[in-house]
Amino acid sequence: MESKRSKYILIGLSAFCVLLIGITSFKDGFLNPLRSGIGYFLIPIQSGVNRAGTSLYNGISSYSTMKSAMDEKQQLQSQVDALIEENSRLQSEQFELQRLRELYELDQEYQQYEKIGARVIAKDSGDWFQIFRINKGSADGVQVDANVIAGGGLVGIVTDVGANYATVRSIIDDVSRVSAMAQQSGDTCIVSGNLTLFGEGRLQITNVMKDSDLKDGDRIVTSNISSKFLPGILIGYAADITTDETRLTKSGYLIPVAQFDSLQEVLVITELKEDMMGDQQESTQTGEQS
Protein backbone atom coordinates (compact mmCIF):
# COMPACT_ATOMS: atom_id res chain seq x y z
CA MET A 1 0.00 0.00 0.00
CA GLU A 2 2.78 2.30 0.89
CA SER A 3 4.70 1.43 -2.32
CA LYS A 4 1.63 2.22 -4.47
CA ARG A 5 1.27 5.65 -2.85
CA SER A 6 4.92 6.44 -3.49
CA LYS A 7 4.52 5.30 -7.07
CA TYR A 8 1.56 7.63 -7.62
CA ILE A 9 3.44 10.52 -6.11
CA LEU A 10 6.42 9.87 -8.35
CA ILE A 11 4.19 9.66 -11.42
CA GLY A 12 2.46 12.93 -10.42
CA LEU A 13 5.73 14.77 -9.92
CA SER A 14 7.00 13.48 -13.24
CA ALA A 15 3.87 14.69 -15.00
CA PHE A 16 4.17 18.15 -13.32
CA CYS A 17 7.79 18.42 -14.45
CA VAL A 18 6.83 17.52 -17.99
CA LEU A 19 4.09 20.18 -17.86
CA LEU A 20 6.55 22.82 -16.66
CA ILE A 21 8.99 21.87 -19.38
CA GLY A 22 6.20 22.25 -21.93
CA ILE A 23 5.13 25.63 -20.59
CA THR A 24 8.73 26.82 -20.53
CA SER A 25 9.23 25.70 -24.12
CA PHE A 26 6.12 27.57 -25.31
CA LYS A 27 6.17 30.54 -22.79
CA ASP A 28 6.77 33.32 -25.28
CA GLY A 29 3.92 32.32 -27.51
CA PHE A 30 1.68 31.45 -24.59
CA LEU A 31 2.37 34.55 -22.46
CA ASN A 32 2.45 37.14 -25.22
CA PRO A 33 -1.33 37.59 -25.35
CA LEU A 34 -1.44 37.79 -21.58
CA ARG A 35 1.46 40.23 -21.55
CA SER A 36 -0.21 42.32 -24.27
CA GLY A 37 -3.49 42.36 -22.41
CA ILE A 38 -1.88 43.38 -19.17
CA GLY A 39 0.24 45.99 -20.96
CA TYR A 40 -2.88 47.43 -22.60
CA PHE A 41 -4.22 48.30 -19.17
CA LEU A 42 -0.96 48.97 -17.29
CA ILE A 43 0.96 51.15 -19.79
CA PRO A 44 -1.54 54.09 -19.69
CA ILE A 45 -1.61 53.83 -15.92
CA GLN A 46 2.16 53.73 -15.79
CA SER A 47 2.40 56.70 -18.19
CA GLY A 48 -0.03 58.68 -16.05
CA VAL A 49 1.88 57.80 -12.92
CA ASN A 50 5.13 58.79 -14.65
CA ARG A 51 3.66 62.11 -15.78
CA ALA A 52 2.27 62.80 -12.33
CA GLY A 53 5.58 61.90 -10.76
CA THR A 54 7.49 64.07 -13.23
CA SER A 55 5.14 67.01 -12.66
CA LEU A 56 5.40 66.58 -8.91
CA TYR A 57 9.19 66.37 -9.12
CA ASN A 58 9.36 69.42 -11.39
CA GLY A 59 7.02 71.30 -9.05
CA ILE A 60 9.11 70.44 -6.03
CA SER A 61 12.29 71.35 -7.94
CA SER A 62 10.76 74.65 -9.12
CA TYR A 63 9.58 75.51 -5.61
CA SER A 64 13.00 74.64 -4.19
CA THR A 65 14.69 76.73 -6.89
CA MET A 66 12.27 79.62 -6.37
CA LYS A 67 12.73 79.52 -2.59
CA SER A 68 16.48 79.46 -3.03
CA ALA A 69 16.25 82.39 -5.45
CA MET A 70 14.02 84.34 -3.03
CA ASP A 71 16.42 83.70 -0.17
CA GLU A 72 19.34 84.81 -2.34
CA LYS A 73 17.41 87.90 -3.45
CA GLN A 74 16.68 88.75 0.19
CA GLN A 75 20.35 88.39 1.06
CA LEU A 76 21.37 90.53 -1.91
CA GLN A 77 18.75 93.15 -1.01
CA SER A 78 20.06 93.25 2.55
CA GLN A 79 23.59 93.74 1.20
CA VAL A 80 22.37 96.49 -1.16
CA ASP A 81 20.53 98.24 1.71
CA ALA A 82 23.64 98.02 3.87
CA LEU A 83 25.80 99.43 1.05
CA ILE A 84 23.33 102.27 0.42
CA GLU A 85 23.29 103.12 4.12
CA GLU A 86 27.08 102.99 4.28
CA ASN A 87 27.37 105.15 1.15
CA SER A 88 24.97 107.71 2.59
CA ARG A 89 26.94 107.79 5.83
CA LEU A 90 30.22 108.24 3.97
CA GLN A 91 28.75 111.03 1.84
CA SER A 92 27.37 112.74 4.93
CA GLU A 93 30.76 112.50 6.62
CA GLN A 94 32.46 113.78 3.48
CA PHE A 95 30.15 116.81 3.31
CA GLU A 96 30.64 117.46 7.01
CA LEU A 97 34.41 117.18 6.61
CA GLN A 98 34.27 119.68 3.75
CA ARG A 99 32.24 122.13 5.83
CA LEU A 100 34.60 121.77 8.79
CA ARG A 101 37.58 122.27 6.50
CA GLU A 102 36.01 125.50 5.24
CA LEU A 103 35.39 126.61 8.84
CA TYR A 104 39.01 125.84 9.69
CA GLU A 105 40.19 127.94 6.74
CA LEU A 106 37.87 130.73 7.88
CA ASP A 107 39.25 130.43 11.40
CA GLN A 108 42.77 130.79 10.03
CA GLU A 109 41.78 133.78 7.90
CA TYR A 110 40.48 135.65 10.98
CA GLN A 111 42.88 134.21 13.51
CA GLN A 112 43.22 137.63 15.17
CA TYR A 113 39.82 136.96 16.78
CA GLU A 114 39.00 134.36 19.41
CA LYS A 115 36.27 132.02 18.19
CA ILE A 116 34.28 128.92 19.11
CA GLY A 117 32.46 126.52 16.81
CA ALA A 118 28.71 125.95 17.09
CA ARG A 119 26.00 123.94 15.35
CA VAL A 120 22.73 125.36 14.10
CA ILE A 121 19.93 123.60 15.99
CA ALA A 122 16.81 125.54 14.93
CA LYS A 123 15.59 128.33 12.69
CA ASP A 124 12.48 130.39 12.00
CA SER A 125 10.03 129.15 9.39
CA GLY A 126 10.94 130.01 5.83
CA ASP A 127 13.47 129.01 3.24
CA TRP A 128 16.43 130.91 4.68
CA PHE A 129 18.29 131.23 7.94
CA GLN A 130 17.40 134.83 8.73
CA ILE A 131 16.85 134.03 12.44
CA PHE A 132 18.34 130.85 13.84
CA ARG A 133 19.56 129.25 17.06
CA ILE A 134 22.93 127.66 17.87
CA ASN A 135 23.96 125.16 20.55
CA LYS A 136 26.45 127.41 22.37
CA GLY A 137 25.62 130.07 24.94
CA SER A 138 26.89 132.09 27.86
CA ALA A 139 28.45 129.00 29.44
CA ASP A 140 30.72 128.86 26.38
CA GLY A 141 31.57 132.56 26.36
CA VAL A 142 28.94 133.67 23.83
CA GLN A 143 27.59 137.19 24.40
CA VAL A 144 24.93 139.42 22.87
CA ASP A 145 26.38 141.30 19.85
CA ALA A 146 28.94 138.56 19.16
CA ASN A 147 29.72 138.34 15.45
CA VAL A 148 28.95 135.06 13.68
CA ILE A 149 30.79 133.90 10.55
CA ALA A 150 30.55 130.93 8.18
CA GLY A 151 30.82 130.09 4.49
CA GLY A 152 33.72 132.47 3.93
CA GLY A 153 32.39 135.54 5.67
CA LEU A 154 29.88 137.34 7.86
CA VAL A 155 26.61 135.61 8.73
CA GLY A 156 25.09 137.79 11.44
CA ILE A 157 25.11 138.84 15.06
CA VAL A 158 23.94 137.28 18.34
CA THR A 159 20.76 138.91 19.69
CA ASP A 160 19.86 136.65 22.61
CA VAL A 161 21.86 134.30 24.84
CA GLY A 162 20.97 131.49 27.22
CA ALA A 163 23.28 129.26 29.18
CA ASN A 164 23.50 126.66 26.41
CA TYR A 165 22.07 128.39 23.36
CA ALA A 166 22.13 131.68 21.48
CA THR A 167 19.90 133.33 18.87
CA VAL A 168 21.47 134.83 15.76
CA ARG A 169 19.99 137.42 13.41
CA SER A 170 21.58 137.10 9.99
CA ILE A 171 22.48 139.97 7.68
CA ILE A 172 19.71 139.03 5.25
CA ASP A 173 16.97 139.83 7.80
CA ASP A 174 14.86 142.89 6.98
CA VAL A 175 15.99 144.80 10.07
CA SER A 176 19.69 144.12 9.58
CA ARG A 177 22.05 147.04 8.83
CA VAL A 178 25.82 146.59 8.55
CA SER A 179 28.27 149.44 8.27
CA ALA A 180 30.67 148.29 5.55
CA MET A 181 33.36 149.48 3.17
CA ALA A 182 35.06 148.51 -0.05
CA GLN A 183 38.27 146.72 0.85
CA GLN A 184 40.13 148.10 -2.17
CA SER A 185 39.22 151.78 -1.88
CA GLY A 186 37.99 152.09 1.71
CA ASP A 187 34.79 153.80 0.54
CA THR A 188 32.04 153.30 3.10
CA CYS A 189 28.50 152.05 2.56
CA ILE A 190 25.55 150.38 4.30
CA VAL A 191 24.59 146.77 3.57
CA SER A 192 20.85 146.34 4.25
CA GLY A 193 19.01 143.06 4.72
CA ASN A 194 16.01 142.45 2.50
CA LEU A 195 14.34 139.05 2.39
CA THR A 196 12.37 139.87 -0.75
CA LEU A 197 15.50 141.01 -2.55
CA PHE A 198 17.44 138.04 -1.24
CA GLY A 199 15.10 135.85 -3.26
CA GLU A 200 17.36 136.92 -6.12
CA GLY A 201 20.47 136.16 -4.05
CA ARG A 202 21.22 139.84 -3.35
CA LEU A 203 21.30 142.40 -0.58
CA GLN A 204 21.22 146.17 -0.95
CA ILE A 205 24.15 148.58 -0.85
CA THR A 206 23.30 152.22 -0.07
CA ASN A 207 24.88 155.42 1.24
CA VAL A 208 27.82 155.35 -1.16
CA MET A 209 29.33 158.80 -1.81
CA LYS A 210 28.91 159.91 -5.43
CA ASP A 211 32.63 160.50 -5.93
CA SER A 212 33.62 157.12 -4.38
CA ASP A 213 35.65 154.57 -6.29
CA LEU A 214 33.44 151.63 -5.27
CA LYS A 215 32.76 149.47 -8.34
CA ASP A 216 31.32 146.13 -9.37
CA GLY A 217 33.25 143.14 -8.05
CA ASP A 218 34.81 144.98 -5.10
CA ARG A 219 35.14 143.01 -1.87
CA ILE A 220 32.80 144.50 0.73
CA VAL A 221 33.94 144.05 4.35
CA THR A 222 32.78 145.30 7.72
CA SER A 223 34.07 148.81 8.33
CA ASN A 224 36.23 150.18 11.11
CA ILE A 225 33.47 152.58 12.18
CA SER A 226 30.83 149.90 12.80
CA SER A 227 29.62 149.96 16.39
CA LYS A 228 28.90 146.22 16.65
CA PHE A 229 30.69 144.44 13.81
CA LEU A 230 34.40 143.77 14.04
CA PRO A 231 36.40 145.29 11.17
CA GLY A 232 37.62 143.51 8.05
CA ILE A 233 35.15 140.60 7.89
CA LEU A 234 34.16 139.80 4.33
CA ILE A 235 30.44 140.27 3.62
CA GLY A 236 30.28 139.79 -0.14
CA TYR A 237 30.92 141.41 -3.51
CA ALA A 238 29.49 144.61 -5.01
CA ALA A 239 27.29 144.40 -8.09
CA ASP A 240 25.42 146.86 -10.34
CA ILE A 241 26.68 150.03 -8.62
CA THR A 242 24.97 153.07 -10.16
CA THR A 243 24.51 156.75 -9.37
CA ASP A 244 21.20 157.58 -7.70
CA GLU A 245 18.66 159.96 -9.24
CA THR A 246 19.64 162.66 -6.78
CA ARG A 247 23.19 162.56 -8.16
CA LEU A 248 24.40 162.84 -4.57
CA THR A 249 24.97 159.17 -3.77
CA LYS A 250 25.44 155.78 -5.37
CA SER A 251 23.75 152.48 -4.60
CA GLY A 252 23.72 148.93 -5.84
CA TYR A 253 23.67 145.35 -4.68
CA LEU A 254 25.80 142.90 -2.75
CA ILE A 255 26.23 139.18 -3.44
CA PRO A 256 26.86 137.63 0.02
CA VAL A 257 29.51 134.95 0.40
CA ALA A 258 27.69 132.97 3.10
CA GLN A 259 25.02 130.45 2.11
CA PHE A 260 21.85 131.30 4.01
CA ASP A 261 19.86 128.30 2.84
CA SER A 262 22.09 125.57 4.26
CA LEU A 263 23.82 126.75 7.44
CA GLN A 264 24.83 123.86 9.69
CA GLU A 265 28.00 124.96 11.50
CA VAL A 266 29.21 128.47 12.32
CA LEU A 267 32.01 130.22 14.17
CA VAL A 268 31.15 132.68 16.92
CA ILE A 269 33.70 135.40 17.65
CA THR A 270 33.75 135.70 21.42
CA GLU A 271 35.40 139.13 21.39
CA LEU A 272 32.97 142.07 21.13
CA LYS A 273 33.55 145.23 19.17
CA GLU A 274 32.90 147.40 22.23
CA ASP A 275 35.48 145.41 24.22
CA MET A 276 38.03 145.87 21.48
CA MET A 277 37.32 149.60 21.33
CA GLY A 278 37.64 149.81 25.12
CA ASP A 279 40.98 148.03 24.99
CA GLN A 280 42.18 150.42 22.29
CA GLN A 281 41.11 153.47 24.30
CA GLU A 282 42.82 152.07 27.39
CA SER A 283 45.99 151.46 25.38
CA THR A 284 45.82 155.01 24.00
CA GLN A 285 45.41 156.50 27.46
CA THR A 286 48.27 154.38 28.81
CA GLY A 287 50.45 155.55 25.95
CA GLU A 288 49.58 159.18 26.58
CA GLN A 289 50.38 158.82 30.29
CA SER A 290 53.70 157.29 29.41
Side-chain angles (χ1 to χ4, degrees):
M1 189 69 181
E2 184 67 28
S3 61
K4 288 183 178 181
R5 183 180 299 173
S6 300
K7 182 179 180 180
Y8 292 148
I9 293 173
L10 180 60
I11 293 172
L13 290 175
S14 299
F16 182 71
C17 289
V18 171
L19 179 62
L20 289 177
I21 292 171
I23 293 174
T24 303
S25 300
F26 297 100
K27 63 178 182 178
D28 290 338
F30 178 74
L31 295 176
N32 278 340
L34 180 62
R35 185 182 296 113
S36 299
I38 294 173
Y40 178 79
F41 292 102
L42 292 181
I43 288 175
I45 296 174
Q46 183 179 11
S47 298
V49 170
N50 287 339
R51 284 196 299 270
T54 301
S55 298
L56 180 61
Y57 173 79
N58 291 336
I60 294 174
S61 298
S62 297
Y63 174 77
S64 178
T65 302
M66 181 177 66
K67 187 176 185 304
S68 177
M70 291 295 292
D71 292 341
E72 183 178 0
K73 178 184 176 183
Q74 185 65 34
Q75 293 177 358
L76 290 174
Q77 185 63 48
S78 298
Q79 294 177 2
V80 169
D81 293 341
L83 289 173
I84 292 175
E85 182 178 354
E86 178 68 11
N87 184 57
S88 299
R89 184 183 66 80
L90 290 175
Q91 286 186 345
S92 178
E93 290 180 353
Q94 181 180 2
F95 293 148
E96 182 177 10
L97 179 61
Q98 179 62 32
R99 295 194 307 269
L100 294 177
R101 184 179 292 115
E102 291 174 355
L103 279 182
Y104 174 76
E105 293 174 354
L106 190 62
D107 178 56
Q108 294 301 300
E109 184 176 354
Y110 298 103
Q111 57 183 331
Q112 70 270 32
Y113 300 129
E114 293 292 332
K115 299 172 290 291
I116 61 169
R119 290 186 180 274
V120 177
I121 57 175
K123 74 179 186 70
D124 280 1
S125 60
D127 296 329
W128 304 302
F129 288 73
Q130 69 267 26
I131 303 291
F132 60 92
R133 182 168 290 183
I134 58 176
N135 66 342
K136 295 296 175 65
S138 58
D140 306 288
V142 177
Q143 306 176 67
V144 172
D145 290 340
N147 293 190
V148 179
I149 58 177
L154 184 66
V155 169
I157 194 167
V158 173
T159 59
D160 178 58
V161 176
N164 300 304
Y165 74 90
T167 303
V168 180
R169 183 179 68 238
S170 72
I171 60 173
I172 68 172
D173 190 66
D174 288 332
V175 301
S176 175
R177 299 289 184 274
V178 181
S179 179
M181 66 180 184
Q183 191 174 48
Q184 290 87 337
S185 63
D187 293 316
T188 60
C189 61
I190 298 295
V191 176
S192 302
N194 187 320
L195 291 175
T196 301
L197 185 60
F198 187 70
E200 303 172 5
R202 296 180 168 194
L203 299 179
Q204 196 163 22
I205 292 178
T206 58
N207 292 50
V208 182
M209 299 301 296
K210 67 174 182 178
D211 55 350
S212 72
D213 194 34
L214 192 154
K215 57 186 180 298
D216 294 355
D218 280 357
R219 288 168 59 94
I220 305 299
V221 300
T222 51
S223 72
N224 296 321
I225 62 175
S226 175
S227 61
K228 293 184 178 181
F229 290 97
L230 295 162
I233 301 175
L234 179 63
I235 307 172
Y237 296 89
D240 299 335
I241 302 299
T242 58
T243 302
D244 296 331
E245 294 180 356
T246 61
R247 301 291 178 178
L248 299 177
T249 56
K250 293 180 180 179
S251 62
Y253 302 98
L254 177 132
I255 310 300
V257 292
Q259 302 296 318
F260 293 94
D261 58 349
S262 58
L263 289 174
Q264 296 191 50
E265 296 91 12
V266 297
L267 292 176
V268 181
I269 301 176
T270 55
E271 182 180 3
L272 299 184
K273 178 65 178 290
E274 62 181 28
D275 294 337
M276 186 184 71
M277 294 175 63
D279 292 341
Q280 290 176 347
Q281 291 176 357
E282 183 177 348
S283 298
T284 301
Q285 292 174 359
T286 302
E288 290 175 351
Q289 292 174 358
S290 301

